[in-house]
Structure formats: C-alpha cells, structure tokens
Amino acid sequence: MRTQRMTLSVSVLALLTLAACGTESGSGSGKGSGEGGSVQSDVPVTGVAWSVDSVTVDGRKTKAPEGARLEIDPKGRATADFGCNHIGVDARVKGDRVTLGKPVTTQMVCGEDIEKFEKAAIDAMGGELTAKLSGDKLTLTKEGGHTMELSEEKAADLVGTRWTVTTLLDGKTATTVPADLPEERTPHLTFADDGTVRGNSGCNSFSGKAAVKGSTIVFGSTAGTRKMCPEAEMAVERAVLAALSGPATYTIKGSTLTLTADDGKGIGATAAPAGTGSQHG
C-alpha cells in the first residue's frame, strides 16, 4: 500500500468564519475573534482536541483506528483525521447543537478497513448533531441515530515524547509527509530535559540545542550524519531542518505538535503511542 504525497491549501480547511452570538460557557475566556463575535455553546466542544473512539451508523458500531481525531475551533472550522485523509468542514455551534457542512477531503489511498471507517465517520458527522458531554467524553448524535463517541485528548508532554513529523508547513500551504517512507527515515524528533533535541530529519540523524521559553523554542545549530537518500526524502529533510532553525512558536493540542517559525515554515507532528518512548534515530 502506498499513500500518495499531496499538497493541500490550509485555506481549503479554513472554510467559514462562525457567525454566532452570546458567550462561551466552556473553560475559555468566551471572547471570540473576527466579526462573528463569540461562540454560544452550552456544551464546550470547541477548542478541544477530541480522540474518536467509535461511530455507530445504521445500528452498527465500529471502533475507530488509532489516531482518529476531530477538532472544532472557535472560529467555525472543523478538521478531522479518521486514519487516512485530512478532512475540513465548516462548523456552527449553538447551545448543544453542532452543524457541520459538506466535508472537503484529501484523496489518499488507504487500507480497506480504514476507508470503510472513514466513510462511516463522515456519514455520522454530517449535518446537524446534538452534543452531549459527560466528563471528558463527548457524544455527537445525528438525526436518525448515527452517533460518534469521542474522548478529550490530554496534551502530550513536549519533553520526552517522540514526535513523528506528519506535515510540512510553508505559509498557507501544508504538505503531507509520505507515509510509506522507510521506517528508519521517517522524520521524528525528541526533546530532552537538558535542552537538546535529536531525531531523524528524513534521511540523516541529527542532534542540536533547543531552548524552550514559554511558547517559543529557540533552535541552535544542528549536527548530523551526511548520508544521501532519494530526492523525495532529501526534500523532506530540507524542509524539516528549515523548521528547526532559530526561534519557532509551538502549540500542543492533544497528541499534535505544531512548530512554526516567523517566516511561516514549520512542521506538524504526532506523539508516538504511549510506551514507545524516546527512540534513538
């Protein structure tokens, strides 16, 4: 199975500014941004990284593949990854109602089971949904009985986590890292308590300094091996190393790390499953 490399515009995912009124009753400040004002929500579903547990369509419940997730931001954008494609959709949240528009999705080729789950999840998430929150569990129910069950993702630790690079950022463009790279050349990085970072940039192993100050990481010069790889892998390596140069702003939502430099170059990375820990690169 090969996954096609493709580029998608972030503007495709940034679809619709949410126009609503009232105040956010969740844990945030309740202050919206943009002309639409604040989000009115009795159930605080926005701004949370949700891990998808299962979907039920036509009475058939299917467990989600590892890494399936959904997020609705306060500006009216929802993004999802059900194990294969990146999905974007406009979202409206009012009270306990969540209305999702027609999804825009990438077209990567994935395994049959994952594609079946993705189709079921898209069917379950479309249209108007009723949100019910219980602790850190969220259930979205569609008219007709389709449901999606989710759990709030706890933010992974920056330090000590092995971060696998999945996306290369350049301004408003995001490029998916090919999923069929050889395991030993899959780009990843791990931050250590002593202010260093090490990993693999797509071809070569590297190590360097990484000083964390608030929401900023200042990367120093890096040293690494000097192997040559196929051009596609070298292109990934150049993009990764460009993101790990100088100061960069970082955010962690659930198991997703985003690093962005002042020039717009950056990376998106996913935390390795618990128990894999920091592995040598």
Side-chain angles (χ1 to χ4, degrees), residues 184-186 188 197-208 221-229 233-234 237-238 241 280-281:
E184 68 276 10
R185 293 199 290 274
T186 298
H188 62 86
V197 61
R198 64 179 300 177
N200 188 288
S201 49
C203 177
N204 289 282
S205 299
F206 73 90
S207 61
S221 59
T222 60
T225 56
R226 296 180 177 276
K227 296 182 294 184
M228 294 299 294
C229 297
E233 294 162 29
M234 297 302 295
E237 174 162 284
R238 288 191 293 270
L241 292 178
H280 65 276

Side-chain angles (χ1 to χ4, degrees), residues 39-166:
V39 174
Q40 178 181 341
S41 177
D42 297 333
V43 180
V45 301
T46 61
V48 178
W50 296 103
S51 174
V52 181
D53 300 326
S54 64
V55 296
T56 301
V57 175
D58 296 329
R60 182 176 181 178
K61 185 174 183 177
T62 306
K63 183 179 179 181
E66 185 176 347
R69 63 194 309 276
L70 170 71
E71 184 173 350
I72 305 172
D73 75 18
K75 296 181 180 180
R77 300 190 298 271
T79 55
D81 184 337
F82 299 126
C84 182
N85 286 286
H86 299 287
I87 300 165
V89 60
D90 22 315
R92 293 176 60 87
V93 181
K94 187 174 183 180
D96 65 348
R97 299 297 174 123
V98 179
T99 304
L100 301 177
K102 183 177 180 180
V104 176
T105 175
T106 57
Q107 299 294 324
M108 294 187 285
V109 178
C110 303
E112 183 179 353
D113 290 343
I114 291 178
E115 287 185 348
K116 285 183 178 179
F117 178 83
E118 182 175 86
K119 182 180 184 302
I122 291 174
D123 288 342
M125 72 181 284
E128 186 173 284
L129 309 166
T130 300
K132 182 179 180 181
L133 191 66
S134 177
D136 63 353
K137 301 290 186 180
L138 173 67
T139 301
L140 297 176
T141 303
K142 185 177 179 180
E143 185 177 356
H146 297 349
T147 62
M148 179 179 294
E149 296 180 350
L150 311 98
S151 300
E152 182 179 353
E153 287 187 359
K154 304 303 180 185
D157 293 326
L158 174 68
V159 175
T161 299
R162 176 183 166 115
W163 296 101
T164 300
V165 180
T166 57

